[in-house]
Amino acid sequence: MQHLKFFILSSLFLLALIKGQAQPGFVANYDESKVPPYTLPDVLKTTTNVAVKSKETWENVRRPEIIKLFEENVYGQMPKTYDRLTYSIKHENASAMAGKAILKEVVIEVVRNNKPLKINLVLFVPTKQKGPVPVFLLINNRGKDNTDPTRAKKSDFWPAEMVIDSGYAIAAFHVSDLAPDDTANYVNGVLQLYPEQLTANNGMKAIGAWAWGASRALDYFEKDAAVDAKKVIVVGHSRGGKASLWAAAEDQRFAMCATNCSGNTGAALSHRRFGETISRINTVFPHWFATNYKKFNNNEDALPLDQHMLIATVAPRPLYATNASKDLWADPTGTFLSLKQAEKVNALYGIKSSLPANPPTINQPVVSSQMGYHNRDGEHNLTAYDWSNFIKFANTHVKK
Ligand code: GCU
């Protein structure tokens, strides 16, 4: 009996560890009445307290200021230069998916200081479509078999057939090409090209590296006439959704961002301390964010920012965020509030803000608004339902 109890408890602990939710002594708050009072920095007020009333002041002063705050305090710097980017097509199939798509397996090679890095990109382009097509790019943080180029295995995490049928190209790369997702090995990727990042307190770590990789995929799209590099939609789920948001913030060439169940240090507000917190994320995943971010462990009130400001930097480009009803860890309410706070940037561009005043009910996607949102019924995941709404949203805001 004792043995059985021990076995069950240790299995549960192991499971929590795998899911990344175990931290001795950490108890997540799931009670709205226990959210402490907090004050968010205003997206439309500069650090010197000047009200931002025009898109010029937004673009020239406030937006760069916000990006800097996130580089300095959260995700670290984003290296913008390299010595060389080349690519080769490892494998091509002109009649993939029973003739519906062209498959390209691309190896992107980036070189800096004589150090090379290879990023493997899988790309399907619809054959029916004439001219360059918009493309969905997934930052894949789950198994590589989710993006199987042979299509022997199909997965709703990357429903390539559905996306192709909707007239979009679809691409993906795996995070491990940029930074393996563990504390010991994250350095064995792009950080080898930028070793100065490793010693800087504001140096990028894994999430920054994955976002950097998304931009290199975009560099490749600019060289491939089959896709429209001005219509690249960067998508990520959970930790990948934190990276897709950071990629879209840092690289304004991305036409749209989809951040799925991205939660803490993704789309949700940290000041709320609901579900996952900064100290929890920095403790269990010390290799994700810049060293400086640890200053805010159990110290949210000292943050000169919150995630609504990051969302604001994507505006006026369309952004779609999601949650799942059973995924309180990622704070659905805090995600919606974050979007609401960021929405006012669109008004500077004369774009009407049309998110509802309160979070929409479960399975009620808001797709007409420039900032879209849904809270899907179910668990923490990226599903065909989520993708179908990204497509609807992109049909309105990107494809046109
Ligand atoms: C953990 C982590 C989250 C992350 C998630 C995931 O639960 O705490 O921040 O979003 O893993 O990537 O699935």
Side-chain angles (χ1 to χ4, degrees), residues 273-317:
R273 286 151 269 197
F274 187 100
E276 186 170 30
T277 64
I278 295 177
S279 92
R280 164 63 185 57
I281 208 167
N282 278 333
T283 307
V284 182
F285 305 102
H287 61 289
W288 280 2
F289 306 107
T291 305
N292 277 342
Y293 196 39
K294 299 191 171 61
K295 288 185 198 157
F296 303 99
N297 286 354
N298 301 310
N299 193 18
E300 280 82 355
D301 291 329
L303 276 173
L305 50 84
D306 209 329
Q307 299 306 118
H308 64 306
M309 289 159 62
L310 188 62
I311 290 174
T313 65
V314 180
R317 291 166 292 155

Side-chain angles (χ1 to χ4, degrees), residues 140 142-148 151 153 155-158:
N140 181 17
R142 292 220 179 140
K144 287 187 182 164
D145 57 350
N146 281 295
T147 66
D148 180 9
R151 307 312 292 149
K153 179 173 175 202
S155 156
D156 283 351
F157 197 74
W158 193 71

Side-chain angles (χ1 to χ4, degrees), residues 27-300:
V27 181
N29 173 41
Y30 292 125
D31 181 348
E32 202 60 45
S33 74
K34 293 204 176 110
V35 168
Y38 60 87
T39 313
L40 293 177
D42 188 338
V43 287
L44 293 187
K45 197 157 272 169
T46 68
T47 41
T48 53
N49 240 357
V50 177
V52 178
K53 294 191 177 129
S54 69
K55 61 176 193 221
E56 287 73 25
T57 315
W58 168 253
E59 284 171 12
N60 300 325
V61 184
R62 183 58 171 154
R63 191 184 181 279
E65 190 177 271
I66 295 176
I67 294 289
K68 194 108 210 285
L69 282 170
F70 279 96
E71 287 175 346
E72 216 27 56
N73 297 294
V74 186
Y75 305 98
Q77 305 165 61
M78 179 67 82
K80 291 273 158 53
T81 57
Y82 46 77
D83 298 335
R84 198 165 65 245
L85 183 142
T86 51
Y87 67 88
S88 53
I89 311 287
K90 196 171 74 178
H91 175 229
E92 187 163 356
N93 177 359
S95 62
M97 293 181 184
K100 282 200 303 199
I102 299 163
L103 162 69
K104 287 184 194 170
E105 290 179 70
V106 185
V107 182
I108 303 167
E109 187 177 72
V110 189
V111 178
R112 184 183 185 238
N113 292 343
N114 297 319
K115 293 225 171 92
L117 176 86
K118 285 189 167 62
I119 308 170
N120 296 285
L121 186 83
V122 186
L123 168 68
F124 284 101
V125 182
T127 35
K128 247 205 216 143
Q129 237 62 32
K130 296 272 166 298
V133 287
V135 53
F136 280 94
L137 169 69
L138 176 72
I139 300 176
N140 181 17
N141 59 297
R142 292 220 179 140
K144 287 187 182 164
D145 57 350
N146 281 295
T147 66
D148 180 9
T150 72
R151 307 312 292 149
K153 179 173 175 202
K154 295 192 176 65
S155 156
D156 283 351
F157 197 74
W158 193 71
E161 284 72 12
M162 174 171 118
V163 174
I164 290 294
D165 289 341
S166 307
Y168 292 83
I170 182 163
F173 64 87
H174 196 264
V175 294
S176 59
D177 284 358
L178 283 309
D181 192 5
D182 71 77
T183 317
N185 290 311
Y186 78 96
V187 297
N188 297 322
V190 61
L191 285 161
Q192 298 296 313
L193 277 58
Y194 301 92
E196 64 279 11
Q197 298 292 324
L198 290 167
T199 48
N201 287 335
N202 64 352
M204 78 169 177
K205 293 197 180 171
I207 302 260
W210 304 341
W212 183 92
S215 286
R216 301 298 72 82
L218 206 159
D219 293 345
Y220 163 74
F221 292 141
E222 287 182 337
K223 298 170 195 266
D224 187 332
V227 293
D228 186 345
K230 295 211 158 54
K231 294 189 173 167
V232 181
I233 301 159
V234 61
V235 182
H237 165 65
S238 208
R239 63 197 73 187
K242 304 180 209 290
S244 72
L245 184 52
W246 181 230
E250 271 288 338
D251 191 337
Q252 292 185 271
R253 293 175 301 165
F254 285 111
M256 176 188 143
C257 172
T259 181
N260 196 76
C261 296
S262 59
N264 188 272
T265 323
L269 292 174
S270 300
H271 278 83
R272 279 169 46 82
R273 286 151 269 197
F274 187 100
E276 186 170 30
T277 64
I278 295 177
S279 92
R280 164 63 185 57
I281 208 167
N282 278 333
T283 307
V284 182
F285 305 102
H287 61 289
W288 280 2
F289 306 107
T291 305
N292 277 342
Y293 196 39
K294 299 191 171 61
K295 288 185 198 157
F296 303 99
N297 286 354
N298 301 310
N299 193 18
E300 280 82 355

